[in-house]
Amino acid sequence: MIIFVKLLLAHLIGDFLLQPTSWVEDKEKNKQKSLYLYLHIFLHGAIAWILVGEKDFFWFAILLAVSHGFIDFLKLYFQTKKTKRIWFSIDQILHLLVIVIVTLIYTNTKIKLDHLSSQFWIVLTGIVLLTKPTSIIIKNIISIWTPENKTKDNSLQNAGNYIGILERLFVFCFILIGHFEAIGFLLAAKSIFRFGDLKEAKDRKLTEYVLIGTLLSFGVALLIGLLVQISLGFPF
């Protein structure tokens, strides 16, 4: 279990936190000729090896890196503008399958870690997952409903993205400490401030778009929070 959590954390860091948009664009343009593709592959193997923290995991880290590169190459080669969303999902599913397979093979050694260390890695993975990775996933899901004509936006740069991350982290913390009622308060508070502006904009499509994004954000935070709580053995 803890090996899978560490490898999932390594994947989230390598595929989302340490992969700028400029790298993605360069890979899509130059494919196998992109230097960033190979740097991305190296980072995945290195991060996995570092987080697992065992010398004998070295060859498994290489296996993860090579398989990750192969899957990324397939996506870059076959995806088009119309199928980009589909290939994003396929890409992530294949990466998770590889992580599961490597975990099952490697855990035959039955590595033992103390309970406190296990809790740390589980909570840290949940936190990382709820930041930029979830933002990208939600953006990819609701991109098919992006309003063509948006109202003039005078908000701070990337404010919406950071608000979403903060609200998911708050929900995550509320679940871990057992205060589910605070989640309702947080959702109500956001509704008052956010949807008041949308009402003034008088754009139904934009309102529905924001509502879907908000509900997805809270839903993912609830799901991850409950999964982490179950993993830690906490009562609801």
Side-chain angles (χ1 to χ4, degrees):
M1 174 64 184
I2 195 62
I3 296 298
F4 173 78
V5 171
K6 288 185 177 183
L7 294 181
L8 177 59
L9 176 60
H11 174 73
L12 295 173
I13 293 173
D15 229 25
F16 295 96
L17 300 188
L18 296 184
Q19 184 174 213
T21 303
S22 58
W23 288 23
V24 177
E25 293 174 348
D26 188 83
K27 289 193 301 178
E28 291 177 347
K29 179 180 178 180
N30 300 309
K31 296 181 172 59
Q32 73 275 11
K33 295 181 180 180
S34 173
L35 177 63
Y36 295 115
L37 173 62
Y38 301 101
L39 180 57
H40 179 66
I41 293 170
F42 169 77
L43 282 175
H44 266 281
I47 294 170
W49 190 34
I50 291 171
L51 291 187
V52 172
E54 297 289 338
K55 291 182 180 179
D56 57 357
F57 190 76
F58 176 76
W59 295 108
F60 290 91
I62 292 179
L63 175 61
L64 275 172
V66 172
S67 63
H68 191 97
F70 178 72
I71 294 170
D72 276 9
F73 174 76
L74 289 178
K75 182 183 73 170
L76 292 171
Y77 187 80
F78 288 107
Q79 77 176 5
T80 62
K81 288 184 177 180
K82 292 183 178 180
T83 62
K84 192 173 182 180
R85 188 184 305 107
I86 297 174
W87 271 101
F88 172 81
S89 301
I90 294 173
D91 173 75
Q92 294 301 314
I93 290 172
L94 290 177
H95 288 320
L96 288 176
L97 285 175
V98 171
I99 291 174
V100 170
I101 293 171
V102 170
T103 300
L104 292 175
I105 295 173
Y106 186 69
T107 48
N108 286 332
T109 59
K110 296 187 179 183
I111 299 175
K112 295 182 180 179
L113 296 173
D114 60 271
H115 186 61
L116 182 60
S117 176
S118 299
Q119 289 184 331
F120 168 78
W121 288 110
I122 292 171
V123 173
L124 179 60
T125 301
I127 291 173
V128 172
L129 177 57
L130 291 173
T131 56
K132 187 176 179 181
T134 298
S135 296
I136 294 175
I137 292 170
I138 291 176
K139 182 180 179 180
N140 185 72
I141 292 173
I142 65 176
S143 62
I144 58 175
W145 298 303
T146 302
E148 295 181 0
N149 298 318
K150 293 185 177 180
T151 57
K152 186 177 180 181
D153 191 357
N154 295 319
S155 62
L156 299 175
Q157 184 177 7
N158 294 324
N161 182 44
Y162 293 121
I163 290 172
I165 292 174
L166 287 172
E167 74 186 19
R168 289 192 294 273
L169 292 179
F170 277 127
V171 171
F172 182 75
C173 291
F174 291 150
I175 291 176
L176 291 188
I177 62 178
H179 287 285
F180 288 83
E181 69 281 0
I183 299 174
F185 173 79
L186 180 63
L187 181 58
K190 182 179 180 181
S191 300
I192 292 172
F193 288 103
R194 182 59 171 166
F195 296 112
D197 295 335
L198 291 172
K199 184 178 179 181
E200 292 179 3
K202 296 181 180 179
D203 190 334
R204 181 172 180 177
K205 289 184 178 180
L206 180 60
T207 301
E208 292 173 344
Y209 175 79
V210 173
L211 180 59
I212 291 172
T214 297
L215 293 177
L216 277 174
S217 181
F218 273 84
V220 171
L222 280 167
L223 177 61
I224 299 303
L226 291 174
L227 288 175
V228 169
Q229 192 180 56
I230 292 172
S231 300
L232 297 177
F234 292 168
F236 290 111

